[in-house]
Amino acid sequence: MFLSVFDMFKVGIGPSSSHTMGPMVAAARFLDLMRASPFEFHGLRASLHGSLAFTGVGHATDRATILGLGGFVAHDYDDTKAEAFLAELAKTHTMHPEGLGALHFDPKADMIFDYDHALPGHSNGMILMATDAQGDVILRQVYYSIGGGFVVTEEEQAQGKATDEGDPVPFPFKSAAEMLEMAKSSGKSIAEMKRDNEISRGCSESLAKGTARIWQVMNDCINRGLERDGILPGGLKVRRRAKGIYDALMAERGMNLTAPHTINDWMSVYAMAVNEENAAGGQVVTAPTNGAAGTLPAVIRYYLDHVPGASQNHVEDFLLTAAAIAGLVKYNASISGAEAGCQAEVGSAAAMSAAGLCAVMGGTPEQVENAAEIALEHHLGMTCDPVKGLVQVPCIERNGLAAIKAVSAASLALRGDGQHFVPLDACIETMRQTGADMHDKYKETSLGGLAVNVPNC
């Protein structure tokens, strides 16, 4: 089993990897399908289903789909150009994707929110259609956004493409037990095994450059979030708080009266800075999703800024270790809030972060696995119930608390010898079962939990 570090950490835009980035990716794939088709097209339509319909407006799913059909992609998204495109489309109802000519698209008529017909393959389902001159559909494709920006067609899902193993790698572990056994027999760390797997599919130079860029984008996102204040978009009128908290922490720095628990505020503020940027539609890195994008960068920043002896050179090991854990969770359970609740997003992020921190602080593979298990275990059952479908409440604070849990989990694991009662594999399977049992209203539909018990305006 191989999922690249660059699959788990993807540069994109907020507010959601599955509801914003995924639909944009699906739209780009549909354009490629159209370009390869012999038909002559005159128009486009899109239909959103399940969770994509229920929380699509709050997650900007409609906007992302339209931009994707217009040729925009997440990794080099330009907001100024996007706004100009949307304004022109509103007036002309015509878009011009590269290589396809003029295509009719009326956002009010051709973007459909279907609340009544969920698609069978996944709760994040969408249908993209191309029409002829008479308005008849002549090309149609169903896509599923399965979390973290990953997208599959209904055919690919039926064929098991979502868990395709691809070419062999040196350390093809599919479970934590296999991972630990391979580490023991090879004498390598989890990061070293993951690095060997990555290099077998690419080269060491591209790996180094790629991971450096991932951390740069993450850190830049933290810094932007610490500098900006104001009200987040979406109608809830949620205030940005990271800047105010950060300014207060900086003012207190060096004071002898600062309480020890203030370090928790540092972890939280780094995470909140990222998730406030995500909520505002800024550039973030999936870790493993946008809704959970703040936890891992916050723990890396905590490590670099507050842990004696920390080194920037260890960030790649942190990311590789975290990606190994993320791959296990995705392969054996889910990283999608719409599929398994927030335990699959923030819970996975906490496990990844705990493992990464434990690794760079000298933990053995057994201690790293223990750290991941502790962090995930104490997020089991967490629901995804965003108020008004926005990735703001409770998501922003939740990332901060997950960062604190991740650091605590790593610290506990480092105090032990790696032996523990609940294996990580059992914890991941429990998360999968819990997600399957969880009522749909608690899985990113905003039909239950805080979403219905807190006023939406």
Side-chain angles (χ1 to χ4, degrees), residues 150-319:
F150 290 88
V151 171
V152 293
T153 65
E154 62 178 344
E155 294 83 7
E156 289 169 344
Q157 187 185 62
Q159 296 165 7
K161 180 70 178 293
T163 55
D164 183 19
E165 295 184 20
D167 296 331
V169 293
F171 299 99
F173 49 83
K174 298 180 182 178
S175 67
E178 290 182 356
M179 179 180 72
L180 292 179
E181 183 57 38
M182 290 180 188
K184 183 177 181 180
S185 61
S186 68
K188 292 177 179 285
S189 69
I190 294 170
E192 287 170 336
M193 292 192 298
K194 183 66 175 168
R195 183 177 287 106
D196 287 349
N197 286 349
E198 294 286 340
I199 292 174
S200 74
R201 298 286 183 92
C203 68
S204 57
E205 183 179 356
S206 61
L207 176 62
K209 288 182 178 178
T211 52
R213 179 170 185 256
I214 287 170
W215 170 238
Q216 186 65 57
V217 175
M218 285 179 172
N219 199 39
D220 287 348
C221 186
I222 292 175
N223 290 333
R224 289 196 309 273
L226 295 177
E227 294 169 356
R228 296 177 177 176
D229 53 19
I231 304 297
L232 293 172
L236 288 180
K237 299 181 180 179
V238 172
R239 290 184 302 108
R240 285 181 180 255
R241 291 184 291 156
K243 182 181 185 301
I245 296 171
Y246 177 71
D247 289 346
L249 287 169
M250 289 299 291
E252 295 170 5
R253 218 168 190 181
M255 295 175 60
N256 293 330
L257 298 179
T258 302
H261 65 251
T262 300
I263 193 62
N264 292 335
D265 298 340
W266 282 100
M267 298 178 215
S268 290
V269 79
Y270 296 144
M272 290 170 66
V274 172
N275 283 87
E276 287 176 356
E277 281 294 290
N278 179 62
Q283 186 181 60
V284 297
V285 177
T286 60
T289 66
N290 282 29
T295 300
L296 187 138
V299 175
I300 296 180
R301 183 70 174 261
Y302 159 78
Y303 164 71
L304 292 174
D305 288 3
H306 301 275
V307 175
S311 171
Q312 182 87 25
N313 294 331
H314 293 155
V315 170
E316 182 175 285
D317 280 354
F318 192 117
L319 292 172

Side-chain angles (χ1 to χ4, degrees), residues 19 36 48-49 69 140 158 160 185 195 236 268 277 332 379 437:
H19 286 60
L48 305 178
H49 300 258
L69 291 173
R140 176 184 183 274
S185 61
R195 183 177 287 106
L236 288 180
S268 290
E277 281 294 290
N332 294 297
H379 283 88
D437 292 340

